[in-house]
Amino acid sequence: MLRDIFLVPLALLIALAPPAMSADWTRFRGPNGSGVSTLKGIPTTWSPGDYTFNIMLPGEGHGAAVIHGRRLFVTSAIDAGAERFLYCLDAETGETNWLRRIGMNRSRKHLRNSWASSTPCTDGERVYVGFADKERYTMAAFALDGTLVWRRKLGPYESQHGLGASPIIFRDLLIVPNDQDGPSSILALDRKTGRTRWSTLRKFKSGRTSYATPLIVRQRGGDAQLICVSGESGISSLDPGTGRQNWATDAFPLRTVASPVYGGGLVIASCGQGGRFGVLQRAVDLQGRIKWTREKFLPYVTTPIIYGDHLFEWNDEGVFSCVKVASGQTIWTRRIGGNYSGSPICIDGKIYGISEDGNVVILAASPEFRLLGKVPLGDASHSTPSVANGRLYFRTFHRLFCLEATQLK
């Protein structure tokens, strides 16, 4: 049965300052989606008794936690997606401040997806969250006390695997990626009212939904660019203020799941398909010119990390690589084992990621390979860690863990 509902996706803050400058973690993979934090004191090994809290969340979800101050927002779903939840928790204690229940239709999803895979985002005044079923894609904004500010129905959502991309914030806009199997677009909504400020149509093809979250880039002295990726539109640049397309590469041969990353003047993105890791990775400059391509040991679902002059990535089947950003030259490749659907993050030069069976793997973000640790969480995970204000958070299928930096204890 269709219920009147509505919470909405995950918009994310887009900070153009260096990622390490922000203590909050307000969108998928933190400031501008870089996945990088300078927080010191997070250990590389710990015991179950070291968690500040370890709490159960109802249902299941893969979306990451986002944090502003002492407010942490996370989603989950039960009953084949018939009920979706947005939680506001105390980021220091894990206690529930409030929750909002959103009714949706029961729907299909991929075995590795969930009905709560999109990550919310927050601007410190509101939290933005999105959910979708076949009949509708719904976005909503809630005040920090849980009051519904606005909600929008964006039309049907056609996808083999369910919603995966997350919205982001740019100035006074909430940018919503909507590359799907049906009519596709990128939209910008007014953050305060939810009204459409611009909408840009996109090419689409059945089975080629994009699950990638966009990012904002800017070269010194240049205009901001909204970078989106999809199978049909390749890597494309839009004016984030108007939606006008600046440039686009040729189409990717397969669908895009991993989100694009930016560093050293290059945007890097890849494509792939189910049952295989990524098959093509491109690096382009901010004029859309291809600088290099790679075709081996690529991530399909997981988003890489750029740290310093190097690209660090692990593919879905547990092969880890270090690559020179400028040239695409592989420095090292190692098989660690396990399967991966959540993306890694980098904290103070150490990379943390969670395998599908719930093991946290820690590597040095270094041109010399160093495995620093493996710690089991005891619950499966397809989620990406979050870090803010001296704390590291792990989202598993059913739980949320919080680990404090050592200097805070």
Side-chain angles (χ1 to χ4, degrees), residues 6-13 25-28 63-76 85-89 97-102 118-131 138-152 166-169 173-176 189-194:
F6 308 63
L7 285 176
V8 183
L10 341 84
L12 298 153
L13 155 69
W25 197 263
T26 55
R27 57 153 286 171
F28 175 64
V66 296
I67 304 99
H68 186 278
R70 287 196 60 162
R71 291 181 174 88
L72 179 150
F73 302 98
V74 68
T75 59
S76 68
F85 302 96
L86 173 67
Y87 282 84
C88 176
L89 307 179
N97 294 326
W98 51 261
L99 77 89
R100 295 296 176 263
R101 181 179 285 104
I102 302 97
S118 180
T119 296
C121 67
T122 179
D123 54 14
E125 298 177 358
R126 290 165 292 274
V127 57
Y128 308 88
V129 62
F131 295 112
T138 297
M139 298 289 299
F142 292 83
L144 297 187
D145 64 1
T147 302
L148 177 66
V149 179
W150 57 259
R151 66 189 184 194
R152 286 285 309 275
S166 303
I168 64 172
I169 292 169
L173 302 177
L174 178 68
I175 296 174
V176 182
L189 309 180
D190 187 292
R191 284 196 286 135
K192 294 182 179 180
T193 66

Side-chain angles (χ1 to χ4, degrees), residues 103-125:
M104 302 288 285
N105 286 333
R106 293 179 178 88
S107 56
R108 295 182 306 160
K109 67 170 183 64
H110 190 271
L111 179 64
R112 293 187 175 183
N113 203 359
S114 76
W115 289 280
S117 292
S118 180
T119 296
C121 67
T122 179
D123 54 14
E125 298 177 358

